[in-house]
Amino acid sequence: MSNNMNSFIGCESNYKNAGIVLYGIPFDNTTSFRPGTRFGSNAIRNESYGLEEYSVYQDSRLSDYAIHDAGDLECPFGDTSGSLSIIEKFSKKVVKDGKIPVALGGEHLVSYACIIPIAQKYPDLAVIHFDAHTDLRDDYLKQKFSHATVMRRISEIVKDKNIYQFGIRSGEKEEFDFAEAHTNMHKYDLEGLRGMLKKLKGIPVYFSLDLDVLDPSVFSGTGTPEPGGVSFKELHNAVLALKELNIVGADIVELSPHYDISGASTAAACKITREILLAIGGNINE
Amino acid sequence: MSNNMNSFIGCESNYKNAGIVLYGIPFDNTTSFRPGTRFGSNAIRNESYGLEEYSVYQDSRLSDYAIHDAGDLECPFGDTSGSLSIIEKFSKKVVKDGKIPVALGGEHLVSYACIIPIAQKYPDLAVIHFDAHTDLRDDYLKQKFSHATVMRRISEIVKDKNIYQFGIRSGEKEEFDFAEAHTNMHKYDLEGLRGMLKKLKGIPVYFSLDLDVLDPSVFSGTGTPEPGGVSFKELHNAVLALKELNIVGADIVELSPHYDISGASTAAACKITREILLAIGGNINE
Amino acid sequence: MSNNMNSFIGCESNYKNAGIVLYGIPFDNTTSFRPGTRFGSNAIRNESYGLEEYSVYQDSRLSDYAIHDAGDLECPFGDTSGSLSIIEKFSKKVVKDGKIPVALGGEHLVSYACIIPIAQKYPDLAVIHFDAHTDLRDDYLKQKFSHATVMRRISEIVKDKNIYQFGIRSGEKEEFDFAEAHTNMHKYDLEGLRGMLKKLKGIPVYFSLDLDVLDPSVFSGTGTPEPGGVSFKELHNAVLALKELNIVGADIVELSPHYDISGASTAAACKITREILLAIGGNINE
Amino acid sequence: MSNNMNSFIGCESNYKNAGIVLYGIPFDNTTSFRPGTRFGSNAIRNESYGLEEYSVYQDSRLSDYAIHDAGDLECPFGDTSGSLSIIEKFSKKVVKDGKIPVALGGEHLVSYACIIPIAQKYPDLAVIHFDAHTDLRDDYLKQKFSHATVMRRISEIVKDKNIYQFGIRSGEKEEFDFAEAHTNMHKYDLEGLRGMLKKLKGIPVYFSLDLDVLDPSVFSGTGTPEPGGVSFKELHNAVLALKELNIVGADIVELSPHYDISGASTAAACKITREILLAIGGNINE
Amino acid sequence: MSNNMNSFIGCESNYKNAGIVLYGIPFDNTTSFRPGTRFGSNAIRNESYGLEEYSVYQDSRLSDYAIHDAGDLECPFGDTSGSLSIIEKFSKKVVKDGKIPVALGGEHLVSYACIIPIAQKYPDLAVIHFDAHTDLRDDYLKQKFSHATVMRRISEIVKDKNIYQFGIRSGEKEEFDFAEAHTNMHKYDLEGLRGMLKKLKGIPVYFSLDLDVLDPSVFSGTGTPEPGGVSFKELHNAVLALKELNIVGADIVELSPHYDISGASTAAACKITREILLAIGGNINE
Amino acid sequence: MSNNMNSFIGCESNYKNAGIVLYGIPFDNTTSFRPGTRFGSNAIRNESYGLEEYSVYQDSRLSDYAIHDAGDLECPFGDTSGSLSIIEKFSKKVVKDGKIPVALGGEHLVSYACIIPIAQKYPDLAVIHFDAHTDLRDDYLKQKFSHATVMRRISEIVKDKNIYQFGIRSGEKEEFDFAEAHTNMHKYDLEGLRGMLKKLKGIPVYFSLDLDVLDPSVFSGTGTPEPGGVSFKELHNAVLALKELNIVGADIVELSPHYDISGASTAAACKITREILLAIGGNINE
């Protein structure tokens, strides 16, 4: 008689038993072009029922692991700092309770608040960042906290050169200069990923996936589609490769479902979410 | 920590305390033209948050009454009789527990299963039926149970002439002949409604609202849009008029949200659902 | 074994026996704003199966009359005068064979070619014109033949003051001045229609229906939606009123179905087409 | 050789000579449900070319008056107070230069900044407010400046009871109580308008038009469509009635064009903008 | 004077002379997620006119072969077994008349009925199956006949291990176990195809193409888009490779055109249909 | 105070100083299937603000070069020869003033008029043509000037074998025969491009890019989507390769934005336009 729970498929553990906590962040306050990622996490939950919970790629089921879907946080519209506090607080609780937080955006700025407590717990934290955009501006129209500055802000709370960026194909010249000096950036695609894996073996890793790293042919349902991105298979193979790492947190951001009338972008977001959860779950259980 | 409940706005009573039980029926098995009403109830819940729970028309709030949203029933695809059994069983339980069931479709055939236990409890049951279509065929492509035959089937379980039809503007000649003999039909619009109210004072009434009674300008998100329907204000005024009656059950059917890209049809379904719930709620509390 | 005929519902007479000949004109060469009416007639045929062929308003069926659907003419893209010749030729044949031609547009310029042979046969021909736009320019960007000049051209082949315009709410000042002098124009809506009917009793009448006379809430699937139009019921009642007249030809133009994602505009076009065919059919049979 | 000016049709006066200054405000920072009004003013300009610049209703042309289209202001995303300052500053300059500002939203909060300099110039300023929503909350999720609080904020800078609200059909109970005490509210529709006109003769009036006062059948392209609104003709007649008043400023807000795939909402916004400009223009010239 | 035939481009042979018979099956009764494939075959016919009938890949024209388009079968909504009988009967007639049947879906369950008479004629029949999904469940929500069980049912009427599956990337674990034991399954893509061709030389082959084998970037217009699929070129090359085989029947299923607003999915379905027809046609003529 | 200029991002040079002149041609008169490219150039300008003006691929900014955006030409609807004259005249002026013209379509026929003055200036002019379609018919439905004949017409004003075609995958047999004799055609993709570059070193080259060379997964927003095309990366790499050539003019045609609801096609058109402008700009400055 409680059929109106709305969880991601196969994520039906209670909070207490869960090793992984999935939560949504309906926040798109600083989106510069087409807004609407506030509807992303709910769309991912709703459409996850078009998927199987079993992955033939990983030969495992979501219900093999204890995953709790905590629903969406409530972020006040137009209040960026208030929203970031709410996100940080929730992430902190999950981390403190020894669970792995996996956030569904919302826009990319949310990653900053998600990472704060994780970076506090793991001073060596590495951040793997897949994106079309550098997100390395120091400010955007004078705003310090924006989805265009988020990796710059994160660079200030993790060690220098501990951010690994892939797929980047858009930004200002100054951002690429900053990357040269302070991050590890692999431009255009995900090809350099395997080489990096050895280096990160054993180190705690946060994985921030801006879905616009995908080509707009695959993923047009986003605020700033940037042609020339990776295919779904390339992204998927990269996620499978990450299984070798010690992932301690993750986010999947920038689905804007109202620009996805065909449903193809939301389906991509759902499937990659399942694969990330299984990749992390398999790792925990080992 | 349980933010992923997905209830209609303001319907957060538990089952036990509730006087009204709202539930969804994702069933569109017999839809003859454009399918997709299976997604109707979920869309209504999701988009209800674009509404206020307070109605200035009725000067009351949904939370003033104890309303439980029981979520969606699980109907097996392609199994019409199995689905009807599941619906009937749930409706029976709600009725037996002394609560008023309000169903969100799904297609119109679901009304038949919803009504069975109510007609058993109230032998004098009157059915008020708003629709563009007669729904009075004896069979449709040899199927006895179809959204095109539903009122014919209902006519077999309530007393002759106890169905009151409004807004009807499409059907076969034979259906209009049947209506002449066995129902009270008011064609094209809702104008004759007030005259009927006195007659039905005190009698138990089931209200079946096929949303395609609305003009497609208001409500295009449905399988068989039929031009020449009523405006939202006309429908709304009719619903307010029903407050004088003893409503013992209701359904709101035929929203097909994938044909509603603008969201206007879903917004209409949400608002009329709120108004019906408040109308019934006010009546119970008196 | 010939299921792939694509005719308007209920229009299955062969040409020889038919009293009415329906035909499509996929031509949108001179459309000034949003093109695409070339797809109009085919959409009307495809979606007519969402309708009943019986009309409760007129208590008659399309199959009560002998109506032939001749399919679409082939108009060369970009060749306005060639296309007009093809249309005129077909209209001429139908008229010569003693049948009533009813054209499905396509854009409004097609009316000119449809009318030529009818105006030749009936020197007193009156033209009833429902539209949002005057269509009375002498030229449009120097083009004499355009959907913005079509009624001006028609005014040159029928007697002065024999055009009756209704619903007009957009045009240049000069066009309204021309109307003052040379047509009977009723601005904004259809209210003056009944007064005109007596005057036209017995006179041969051509009915040209530009569907954008409807308000865009009802009919957004058109090239130049003009807010402030009539409701479907107003248009429908007007069509029923025309039953008293001697309609010798008609057209229904300006559906652009690619701007009608919900299908509501196409449904309106289908239903009004059925009602016009029945209105003409009833008249012939008397 | 400067064909890439993008002005509203017929608004081609330079700033210096202009009596009316039209300007766009691409701001939707506080939108609570579906965002995207940031794209409204640009859509209105682009689609204005589907209109005539001549209005048969008012028998006048936009080019009969000197109207300057100043383009869009640049509002920093996510910075509400910074954006409001920019708007206020521009409005102030226009007012100081003796011209009438007419703003195209963007969301409704922009009205507050537009009005400040006008209220300073005219201490008796009356505000006529057409909307579906009260917009009278004291705060929204703790935010003082929001499109849900805008009329409350405006009530603090004009005299008590100097706000005249029409069409209101949604809000919280507390907002309606506030209206009872501090504004003149006419619920649901625009019928009481004529009675108010005499009272306001000669008094400086600001006209704030939230387009969602229109029924979603007419205007679904907005963030929070609220069924049960007025028709285009009702709105249009009200605008014509306002010609008798001394309008000293106006805004037209809440078009969200990405929810308007058919273009019908944008067409409605364009036409009503033309009619408002002509109504004001006629008044100035007298 | 019979322009309203609606055939796939270049398929204008009469039935008697035809070597290949194309027919549509508007059936989507058991679709589990997004319905609408009932509109697939008609959309493919309508949009085929955006193609050339000549293929530069195969240097041949559809009109080089005698292909008859028999239009759509009439399947009663909601009656699965009745519909399957109708399909089987038509397929049987075509096979008996010595022609090759090529079906346009509709959903995948139709393949079962299409194959029955072919499997009866050719006891060694091999089935090549391209799909994203295994379709190997024994039942789906207790239904034995469903688009999720269709290959399981087919496995019961052809010899063990005679089904060759390609592109499969979604299913339950139990289905992959069944495949291991009873079919030849190549997961994820079409790469193993060439190796299989030699093995099948001379053996009668049925080709069942579920278009969702394509990546949703190419083909989002389907009920259950499954990311990670093949590109159009990969599918096309595979079809060209099949020219070496003795194809005795084929189907192309699961286009749901109402989810294909851009038309790209329908265009893909049209082009692959042409290429399959030419591949079979070339083979017959040799 | 002149914020309503609507230029492609970073193209803000005045005409006099400019080395490159970008201009739009809203012409789609001869489009054979889905019309609407008349809205292409304006959409490209509007959406260019979703891009950066800096390209990391070329490490340069649009503002590094002097590029003037001249806005859209005014082409009379339905008047093909008049429109071609207007285009030719503008192109001639730009060429005469020693600047490089880059046109944004509109449909492909515009290339013919753009090229005439360039071919007059450079008798050795080579034309590089990327397209899905041959465009080599001698006439189309008897029209000599059509987007289906444009390369044939161009073949008549440049030297034999001076047209280099890539990506071609659709046409009639006769067109491919013509190509064999009179052009250099590389079918299906862009692979042969590098081999051609040496040959063309130093020769003046016109680059005509029909965006439907892209696969419909990338670019569905066009009149005649043809599956099996190139990826964005393939096209982009080809454009970068062209940097070695002496480009003296270019066009980018066939975006039909009303078929691009997601915006992905328009984003692709914007980005490739930026890359072409930078490639040409870099070349001039050397």
Side-chain angles (χ1 to χ4, degrees), chain C residues 14-27:
Chain C
N14 60 28
Y15 179 80
K16 203 178 158 193
N17 295 334
I20 300 173
V21 175
L22 188 70
Y23 65 110
I25 310 177
F27 173 86

Side-chain angles (χ1 to χ4, degrees), chain B residues 273-285:
Chain B
T273 297
R274 182 189 74 191
E275 295 295 306
I276 289 171
L277 290 170
L278 290 174
I280 297 175
N283 220 313
I284 298 178
N285 283 25

Side-chain angles (χ1 to χ4, degrees), chain C residues 28-36 38-39 74-80 140-141 143 258-259 261, chain F residues 28-36 38-39 74-80 140-141 143 258-259 261:
Chain C
D28 61 3
N29 219 24
T30 77
T31 299
S32 54
F33 200 48
R34 310 191 303 188
R38 65 180 70 176
F39 301 110
E74 286 185 50
C75 297
F77 295 109
D79 180 3
T80 299
Y140 186 71
L141 301 174
Q143 309 292 303
H258 293 186
Y259 294 103
I261 289 176
Chain F
D28 62 2
N29 220 24
T30 77
T31 298
S32 53
F33 199 49
R34 308 192 304 187
R38 65 181 71 177
F39 301 110
E74 287 186 49
C75 297
F77 294 109
D79 180 3
T80 300
Y140 186 73
L141 301 175
Q143 308 292 303
H258 292 186
Y259 294 103
I261 289 176

